[in-house]
């Protein structure tokens, strides 16, 4: 069988070891623009060939990114063996993250993992390691909800209907252990470093918190996490969704990024100065310049950090019940201010970005955020003093602060105009992504909704 690299005879022993554990199949998973694993299913005894680059794909058009061109050369999926995991929910299958190489040579322009790796190489050349912690949120509901006429998504637990919010409610978490327990066990078995999980503010909404890691490792974890959540939910008769806001009264699902830089030689965190006391933490000029770079490019970043039409139903100041949304609406930063896009937490030396949502592809969002932050450092940008106000109160006031895009269309327009975008993403990715997202907006915008009929049908 044709492979890109010579088959490593030593990998046969790994295949035998996996088979002895009950593994029958291996996935060399490449990640599409929506963050979903794509892969052929390979028998475990074929693993040495898989690792040598035997599996070929025509990935253009997958997940609506780009257009299929049947005559062009194929891509080869090259698995990263360091990411190998046996799937805890089905131990017949092992998973790896893979890079897509066009014609088996150069990184494919639409390979989201390769895009992040390139930015990490740039950071390393400047002496930095980019670390990332992510707080993923997900809605989980009963499968039979899809058959309801009223559109309500029935949570797994009755206590999920508590009002006004069941966030951190212990009874709600205990009632949902049929799902949460196998999830927690799977996260522990696969080395995520799980330290807590909880119910969030939406009915059937949960968050999982685990150790931070170098950014590529964290992005690989999140790709595996998405597959894990959906598979485990299905096993207990549920459906999991990373749609940011699945119904009008819902809280939105975030994908908060906790970002930090370390010195590659000393492993010293470069965002902290002083004695590190959590009550009087001193932040470095590097941290402030990193913040300023992100704020400069925030409108364009939104196109990948909040990448769907639905994402902008989350980026509003208040929920339908009048409570604040806890989601950002301005490109601003504050000291422990959760109404800002960027927060300087008091309990950890990182910058939290609250503007990333659950629909984001972690690789793409991390790539452009890192590039923006590094630009801020190179240019010595200053973001000004931290914001102490509740930024939601700025609405309707005269302010120089930049409001985040209010629609996908605004974000896509900003993405198209920002020069940084073409430094981070290959030209082919930029053109394909703009085409994809413009079409998504046009399709949405052409629909006449029930709200419009109710509002206007008898008004004119």
């Amino acid at each position: 069988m044709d492979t890109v690299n010579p088959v490593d005879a030593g990998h046969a022993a790994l295949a035998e070891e996996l088979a002895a554990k009950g593994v029958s199949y291996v996935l060399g998973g490449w990640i599409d623009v929506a963050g979903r694993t794509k892969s052929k299913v390979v028998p475990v005894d074929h693993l040495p060939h898989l690792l040598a680059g035997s599996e070929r794909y025509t990935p253009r058009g997958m997940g609506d990114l780009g257009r299929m061109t049947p005559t062009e050369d194929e891509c080869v999926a090259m698995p990263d063996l360091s990411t190998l995991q046996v799937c805890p929910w089905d131990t017949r299958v092992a998973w790896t993250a893979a890079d897509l190489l066009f014609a088996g040579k150069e990184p494919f322009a639409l390979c989201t993992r390769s895009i992040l790796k390139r930015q990490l190489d740039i950071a390393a050349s400047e002496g930095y390691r980019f670390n990332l912690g992510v707080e993923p949120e997900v809605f989980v509901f009963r499968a039979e909800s899809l058959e309801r006429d009223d559109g309500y998504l029935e949570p797994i637990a009755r206590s999920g209907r508590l009002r006004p919010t069941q966030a951190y409610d212990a009874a709600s978490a205990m009632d949902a252990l049929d799902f949460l327990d196998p999830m927690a066990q799977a996260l522990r078995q696969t080395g995520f470093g799980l330290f807590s999980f909880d119910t969030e503010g939406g009915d059937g909404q949960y968050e999982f918190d685990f150790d931070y890691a170098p950014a590529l490792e964290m992005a690989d974890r999140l790709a595996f996490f998405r597959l894990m959540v959906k598979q485990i939910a299905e096993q207990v008769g549920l459906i999991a969704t990373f749609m940011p806001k699945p119904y009008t009264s819902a809280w939105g699902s975030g994908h908060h990024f906790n970002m930090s830089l370390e010195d590659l030689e000393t492993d010293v965190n470069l965002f902290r100065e002083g004695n590190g006391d959590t009550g009087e933490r001193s932040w470095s000029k590097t941290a402030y310049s990193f913040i300023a770079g992100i704020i400069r490019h925030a409108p364009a970043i939104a196109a990948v950090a909040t990448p769907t039409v639905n994402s902008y139903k989350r980026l509003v100041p208040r929920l339908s019940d009048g409570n604040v949304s806890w989601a950002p609406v301005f490109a601003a930063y504050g000291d422990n201010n959760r109404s800002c896009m960027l927060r300087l937490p008091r309990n950890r030396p990182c910058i939290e970005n609250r503007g990333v949502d659950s629909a984001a592809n972690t690789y793409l969002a991390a790539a452009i955020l890192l590039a923006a932050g590094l630009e801020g450092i190179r240019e010595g940008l200053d973001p000004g003093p931290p914001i102490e106000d509740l930024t939601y109160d700025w609405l309707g006031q005269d302010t120089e602060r930049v409001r985040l895009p209010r629609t996908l269309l605004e974000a896509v327009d900003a993405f198209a105009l920002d020069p940084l975008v073409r430094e981070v993403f290959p030209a082919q990715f930029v053109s394909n992504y703009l085409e994809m997202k413009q079409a998504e907006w046009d399709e949405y915008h052409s629909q006449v909704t029930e709200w419009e009929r109710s509002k206007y049908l008898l008004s004119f």
Side-chain angles (χ1 to χ4, degrees), residues 139-156:
F139 276 92
V140 182
F141 56 94
R142 296 185 182 278
E144 56 267 27
S145 298
L146 296 179
E147 301 175 6
R148 293 176 62 118
D149 294 330
D150 61 3
Y152 181 69
L153 302 179
E154 183 71 31
I156 182 174

Side-chain angles (χ1 to χ4, degrees), residues 350-406:
C350 65
I351 298 165
E352 180 188 60
N353 186 340
R354 302 174 65 79
V356 189
D357 75 21
S358 58
N361 178 303
T362 309
Y363 300 97
L364 300 180
I368 194 168
L369 284 164
L370 173 59
L374 291 179
E375 180 184 280
I377 293 171
R378 292 187 206 107
E379 298 186 20
L381 299 183
D382 183 354
I387 301 303
E388 297 181 1
D389 304 340
L390 190 68
T391 58
Y392 308 129
D393 294 338
W394 291 353
L395 297 172
Q397 298 180 8
D398 184 17
T399 177
E400 296 181 356
R401 299 288 175 178
V402 175
R403 183 163 182 179
L404 292 171
R406 281 169 279 188

Side-chain angles (χ1 to χ4, degrees), residues 10-23 44-45 47-48:
H11 289 155
L14 175 61
E16 292 175 1
E17 179 183 339
L18 290 171
K21 294 178 180 179
V23 174
V44 69
D45 59 3
L47 177 63

Side-chain angles (χ1 to χ4, degrees), residues 109-160:
L110 306 185
C111 175
T112 62
R113 192 171 192 263
S114 297
I115 288 170
L116 174 58
K117 287 175 71 175
R118 179 174 176 271
Q119 290 306 309
L120 294 173
D121 287 344
I122 291 172
S125 72
E126 298 178 20
Y128 302 120
R129 177 185 299 110
F130 184 44
N131 289 328
L132 186 61
V134 179
E135 305 166 53
E137 295 178 342
V138 59
F139 276 92
V140 182
F141 56 94
R142 296 185 182 278
E144 56 267 27
S145 298
L146 296 179
E147 301 175 6
R148 293 176 62 118
D149 294 330
D150 61 3
Y152 181 69
L153 302 179
E154 183 71 31
I156 182 174
R158 290 182 178 273
S159 50

Side-chain angles (χ1 to χ4, degrees), residues 236-256:
V236 293
L238 303 170
I239 292 176
T241 180
F242 291 98
M243 180 179 180
K245 194 164 184 175
Y247 50 94
T248 300
S249 61
W251 289 67
S253 282
H255 195 66
H256 297 168

Side-chain angles (χ1 to χ4, degrees), residues 52-362:
S54 64
E55 302 312 307
R56 299 175 181 272
Y57 299 85
T58 51
R60 198 186 312 280
M62 296 294 177
D64 296 327
L65 183 64
R67 298 184 181 182
M68 191 72 73
T69 52
T71 59
E72 74 177 1
D73 207 342
E74 296 170 308
C75 288
V76 173
M78 290 297 297
D80 182 341
L81 191 55
S82 71
T83 67
L84 181 70
Q85 295 278 11
V86 177
C87 298
W89 64 91
D90 189 338
T91 55
R92 296 173 298 177
V93 182
W95 177 96
T96 70
D99 298 315
L100 280 177
L101 303 182
F102 185 65
K105 299 176 182 178
E106 298 296 325
F108 181 45
L110 306 185
C111 175
T112 62
R113 192 171 192 263
S114 297
I115 288 170
L116 174 58
K117 287 175 71 175
R118 179 174 176 271
Q119 290 306 309
L120 294 173
D121 287 344
I122 291 172
S125 72
E126 298 178 20
Y128 302 120
R129 177 185 299 110
F130 184 44
N131 289 328
L132 186 61
V134 179
E135 305 166 53
E137 295 178 342
V138 59
F139 276 92
V140 182
F141 56 94
R142 296 185 182 278
E144 56 267 27
S145 298
L146 296 179
E147 301 175 6
R148 293 176 62 118
D149 294 330
D150 61 3
Y152 181 69
L153 302 179
E154 183 71 31
I156 182 174
R158 290 182 178 273
S159 50
R161 287 180 176 268
L162 288 176
R163 291 292 187 269
T165 170
Q166 81 278 13
Y168 310 130
D169 184 71
S172 297
M174 293 173 68
D175 290 347
L177 282 179
D178 284 352
F179 164 70
L180 295 174
D181 177 55
M183 269 301 303
Q185 296 301 328
L187 290 169
R188 293 178 65 190
Q189 290 173 36
T190 49
F192 274 63
L194 177 71
F195 53 80
S196 71
F197 56 86
D198 62 81
T199 57
E200 285 293 313
D203 290 348
Q205 186 185 35
Y206 306 99
E207 178 180 293
F208 298 87
D209 296 308
F210 36 80
D211 290 343
Y212 74 90
L216 182 63
E217 181 180 340
M218 178 55 66
D220 290 338
R221 281 185 190 173
L222 267 296
F224 187 59
F225 176 85
R226 286 177 180 268
L227 181 65
M228 181 190 304
V229 166
K230 288 179 173 288
Q231 290 287 304
I232 290 177
E234 288 180 7
Q235 287 183 350
V236 293
L238 303 170
I239 292 176
T241 180
F242 291 98
M243 180 179 180
K245 194 164 184 175
Y247 50 94
T248 300
S249 61
W251 289 67
S253 282
H255 195 66
H256 297 168
F257 273 30
N258 292 272
M259 305 171 290
S260 62
L261 289 180
E262 286 182 352
D263 185 292
L264 266 179
E265 293 186 0
T266 65
D267 298 333
V268 171
N269 186 298
L270 299 174
F271 284 175
R272 178 193 294 181
E273 285 184 346
N275 59 17
D277 182 272
T278 56
E280 298 290 338
R281 187 179 304 286
S282 177
W283 298 90
S284 67
K285 184 179 185 299
T286 299
Y288 288 118
S289 292
F290 195 91
I291 286 170
I294 291 173
I295 289 175
R296 171 190 276 183
H297 296 284
I301 290 170
V304 291
T306 45
T308 71
V309 164
N310 181 255
S311 296
Y312 298 87
K313 307 297 176 70
R314 170 179 169 264
L315 298 185
V316 294
R318 296 188 182 277
L319 303 174
S320 58
D321 61 6
N323 287 312
V324 295
S325 67
W326 292 61
V329 292
F330 284 93
Y333 87 101
D335 179 19
N336 213 43
N337 187 341
R338 291 175 177 83
S339 74
C340 293
M341 180 182 75
L342 301 176
R343 177 173 78 106
L344 294 174
R346 292 177 181 166
N347 66 339
R348 55 192 186 273
C350 65
I351 298 165
E352 180 188 60
N353 186 340
R354 302 174 65 79
V356 189
D357 75 21
S358 58
N361 178 303
T362 309

Side-chain angles (χ1 to χ4, degrees), residues 1-4 26 28 30 39-43 46 49-57 74-79 99-101:
M1 175 170 287
D2 182 35
T3 59
V4 172
V26 183
W30 51 274
S39 180
K40 296 178 181 179
V41 180
V42 174
H46 186 71
H49 293 83
L50 172 67
L51 295 175
S54 64
E55 302 312 307
R56 299 175 181 272
Y57 299 85
E74 296 170 308
C75 288
V76 173
M78 290 297 297
D99 298 315
L100 280 177
L101 303 182

